[in-house]
């Protein structure tokens, strides 16, 4: 066998049949069509990926969302509820303690206000009695003016205490 003997299929065979030639021409035409299709595809791909940098930036800046099944959502909700439940219980207990202290403070202030009102009323009654007695007797005008000023001061204190009590009651209702 010779070294440089060409393969027979590479060269034209004059004895080839017409069927073989038509098959070769069909293969060549299909190959040309495939090359044309590939060229068109490459052109379209080049046209559509010409601004690839812009597309990469747009895609990297766009938010992506994964779809999650309802079962996974339910499991996640139960997990979060299990983590938060002890904290919620502790916060509720603290809130109840604070509310109890606020209610006790409001009661104390209400009692003080009631006592102060009773004192103011008693002093006002005493002053009116003294005024009536002073009118019957001769009392000095200076003492009378001092007592009236004290009465006015006590009335102002009473009004302030009532305002504080009302404010604390509103705060207690707002918290509840």
């Amino acid at each position: 066998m010779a070294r440089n003997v060409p393969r027979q299929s590479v060269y034209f065979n004059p004895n080839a049949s017409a069927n073989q030639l038509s098959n070769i021409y069909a293969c060549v035409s299909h190959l040309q069509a495939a090359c044309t299709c590939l060229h068109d595809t490459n052109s379209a791909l080049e046209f559509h990926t010409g601004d690839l940098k812009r597309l990469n930036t747009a895609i990297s800046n766009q938010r992506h969302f994964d779809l999650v099944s309802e079962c996974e959502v339910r499991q996640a909700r139960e997990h979060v509820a299990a983590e938060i439940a002890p904290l919620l219980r502790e916060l509720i207990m603290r809130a109840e303690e604070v509310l109890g202290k606020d209610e006790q403070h409001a009661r104390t202030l209400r009692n003080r206000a009631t006592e102060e009102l009773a004192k103011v009323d008693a002093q006002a009654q005493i002053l009116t009695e003294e005024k009536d007695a002073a009118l019957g007797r001769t009392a000095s005008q200076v003492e009378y003016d001092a007592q009236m000023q004290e009465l006015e001061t006590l009335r102002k204190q009473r009004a302030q205490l009532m305002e504080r009590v009302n404010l604390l009651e509103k705060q207690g209702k707002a918290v509840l």
Side-chain angles (χ1 to χ4, degrees), residues 19-35:
N19 190 20
Q20 287 176 337
L21 288 177
S22 67
N23 286 341
I24 290 174
Y25 284 123
C27 286
V28 168
S29 65
H30 286 303
L31 185 60
Q32 285 177 343
C35 287

Side-chain angles (χ1 to χ4, degrees), residues 161-172:
L161 287 172
M162 287 302 294
E163 288 178 18
R164 279 184 65 189
V165 167
N166 289 336
L167 180 67
L168 286 172
E169 285 178 350
K170 287 180 184 177
Q171 287 177 351

Side-chain angles (χ1 to χ4, degrees), residues 50-105:
D51 59 348
L52 188 60
K53 273 190 164 180
R54 185 188 64 80
L55 287 174
N56 280 337
T57 304
I59 288 174
S60 66
N61 290 337
Q62 185 179 11
R63 293 184 180 182
H64 297 281
F65 297 97
D66 293 330
L67 296 178
V68 182
S69 69
E70 186 177 341
C71 180
E72 291 172 342
V73 170
R74 200 175 308 121
Q75 288 174 349
R77 187 181 302 146
E78 290 170 359
H79 178 71
V80 169
E83 285 182 6
I84 293 177
L87 297 173
L88 285 176
R89 280 190 219 106
E90 182 180 340
L91 289 175
I92 289 171
M93 288 173 45
R94 286 183 186 175
E96 288 174 350
E97 289 174 7
V98 170
L99 282 174
K101 289 178 183 177
D102 284 347
E103 288 174 1
Q104 185 179 7
H105 186 65

